[in-house]
C-alpha cells in the first residue's frame, strides 16, 4: 500500500477521500491549516509543507478557497512535491472552468495548467457542483422573504461521496491526465431545485426568476457548467434532501 497526502483533508470533499483511502488500506496524511500533525497553509508553504510531502507517493489536491490564493497554493505544493519525488498529483476541478468566465473558475483553470506543466505524473477530474453547495446556496436564499433565482439556469448536482470514490480510485491508479468529467444524474432548473428544497424544509416562499447580464451568466445559462454526456452520478438531489433536511414547522 502507498502513502497518500490529501490536501484540504478535513473539508467537504477531502474528508471523504481520506476515509475511502484509509478503508482501502493506504497510509493517509491529512493536510489542512488546522489539522495536526500536518497543519499547513499552502499559500505560505515553508518547511512544514516539505515535511508533509516527504515520503508521499501520491497527492490528492482538494484544498481550495473561493477567496483566492489557489494558484499560489498550487505552486507551493508542486514545488514541494517535486523536491520530495512525489510520483502522482491528482487534482479536483470543476466542469466548465474553460468555458465559464467566472473568477473562481478562472483560478481553477489556472491551477489545472500548473498541474499539467508541473513535470509530475498528474490526473485532473472535473465534477459538477456538489449537492452540499447547492443546498447551502438555497438555504441561504430561503432566509429572505422572496427567493430570487437567476433565470434560465440549470444545474447538475452530484453527491460528494461519489466524487470522493472516483478520486480515491484515480489516486490508486497510474497518472491518467485529464479524465472524463463527472456529473450528477439529473440536469434540473435552478427553480426546480429551489422548490424541492422549500418543500423538503417546509418553507413557503415566493420564487422569482431574475434575468441577469454578463458573460458569466450567459455561459451558465448556455449550460457550459453541465456534463450531460457524463451523468454518471447515482444519488439525486431529492435523495440528498431526504437525508439532510430536518423539516421544521411550516412558516
Amino acid at each position: 500500500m502507498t502513502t497518500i497526502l490529501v490536501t484540504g483533508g478535513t473539508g467537504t470533499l477531502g474528508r471523504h477521500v481520506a476515509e475511502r483511502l484509509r478503508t482501502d488500506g493506504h497510509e493517509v496524511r491529512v493536510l489542512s491549516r488546522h489539522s495536526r500533525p500536518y497543519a499547513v497553509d499552502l499559500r505560505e508553504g515553508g518547511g512544514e509543507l516539505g515535511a508533509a510531502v516527504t515520503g508521499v507517493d501520491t497527492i490528492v489536491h482538494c484544498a481550495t478557497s473561493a477567496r483566492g490564493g489557489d494558484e499560489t497554493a498550487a505552486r507551493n505544493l508542486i514545488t514541494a512535491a517535486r523536491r520530495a519525488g512525489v510520483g502522482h498529483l491528482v487534482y479536483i476541478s470543476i466542469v466548465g472552468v474553460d468555458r465559464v468566465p467566472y473568477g473562481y473558475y478562472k483560478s481553477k483553470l489556472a491551477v489545472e495548467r500548473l498541474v499539467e506543466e508541473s513535470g509530475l505524473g498528474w490526473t485532473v477530474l472535473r465534477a459538477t457542483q456538489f449537492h452540499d453547495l447547492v443546498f447551502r446556496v438555497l438555504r441561504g436564499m430561503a432566509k429572505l422573504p422572496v427567493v430570487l433565482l437567476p433565470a434560465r439556469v440549470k444545474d447538475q448536482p452530484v453527491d460528494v461521496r461519489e466524487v470522493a470514490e472516483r478520486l480515491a480510485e484515480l489516486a490508486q491508479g497510474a497518472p491518467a491526465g485529464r479524465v472524463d468529467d463527472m456529473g450528477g444524474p439529473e440536469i434540473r432548473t435552478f427553480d426546480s431545485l429551489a422548490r424541492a428544497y422549500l418543500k423538503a424544509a417546509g418553507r413557503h416562499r415566493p420564487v422569482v426568476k431574475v434575468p441577469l447580464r454578463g458573460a458569466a451568466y450567459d455561459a451558465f445559462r448556455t449550460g457550459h457548467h453541465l456534463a450531460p454526456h457524463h451523468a454518471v452520478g447515482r444519488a439525486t438531489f431529492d435523495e440528498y434532501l431526504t437525508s439532510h433536511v430536518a423539516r421544521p414547522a411550516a412558516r
Side-chain angles (χ1 to χ4, degrees):
M1 294 300 172
T2 56
T3 300
I4 301 176
L5 175 71
V6 180
T7 73
T10 59
T12 300
L13 173 63
R15 61 190 176 89
H16 291 294
V17 175
E19 289 171 4
R20 177 57 186 267
L21 290 169
R22 287 195 183 101
T23 298
D24 290 343
H26 298 280
E27 177 186 342
V28 177
R29 299 180 186 178
V30 169
L31 184 149
S32 72
R33 285 180 295 169
H34 307 293
S35 178
R36 300 291 177 182
Y38 303 109
V40 177
D41 187 331
L42 286 172
R43 295 168 297 184
E44 298 178 3
E48 293 84 359
L49 176 56
V53 300
T54 298
V56 166
D57 302 288
T58 297
I59 297 173
V60 183
H61 186 29
C62 298
T64 187
S65 174
R67 295 187 296 273
D70 278 11
E71 293 167 61
T72 298
R75 289 190 186 97
N76 290 336
L77 180 64
I78 288 167
T79 297
R82 282 196 199 119
R83 290 174 179 166
V86 173
H88 189 188
L89 175 59
V90 181
Y91 180 57
I92 179 65
S93 189
I94 306 171
V95 171
V97 292
D98 55 342
R99 295 179 292 171
V100 178
Y102 176 62
Y104 181 57
Y105 280 36
K106 291 178 181 179
S107 179
K108 297 289 284 187
L109 179 62
V111 174
E112 283 190 16
R113 300 291 181 256
L114 292 172
V115 170
E116 292 169 9
E117 298 166 2
S118 66
L120 303 168
W122 60 275
T123 301
V124 170
L125 170 67
R126 292 179 182 176
T128 54
Q129 304 295 335
F130 300 150
H131 290 147
D132 307 65
L133 176 61
V134 176
F135 172 77
R136 290 197 304 271
V137 169
L138 294 175
R139 182 176 60 185
M141 289 178 169
K143 292 179 181 178
L144 300 175
V146 177
V147 178
L148 301 176
L149 302 175
R152 292 181 290 168
V153 172
K154 298 179 180 180
D155 212 341
Q156 189 180 356
V158 65
D159 191 282
V160 67
R161 293 166 296 183
E162 295 175 5
V163 178
E165 289 174 6
R166 178 65 173 140
L167 280 177
E169 177 186 22
L170 292 169
Q172 296 174 80
R178 168 85 185 281
V179 298
D180 287 344
D181 294 345
M182 183 172 185
E186 301 175 312
I187 295 177
R188 296 176 59 174
T189 63
F190 217 70
D191 172 73
S192 167
L193 295 168
R195 294 184 187 280
Y197 168 77
L198 292 171
K199 180 179 180 181
R203 294 191 170 189
H204 298 285
R205 299 284 190 276
V207 175
V208 177
K209 293 173 280 187
V210 181
L212 303 176
R213 300 175 68 91
Y217 171 66
D218 288 345
F220 282 121
R221 187 181 60 187
T222 303
H224 288 326
H225 61 302
L226 306 176
H229 301 297
H230 299 284
V232 296
R234 301 179 300 277
T236 67
F237 187 64
D238 287 338
E239 291 170 339
Y240 175 91
L241 291 174
T242 298
S243 60
H244 286 78
V245 176
R247 182 174 176 136
R251 62 182 185 276

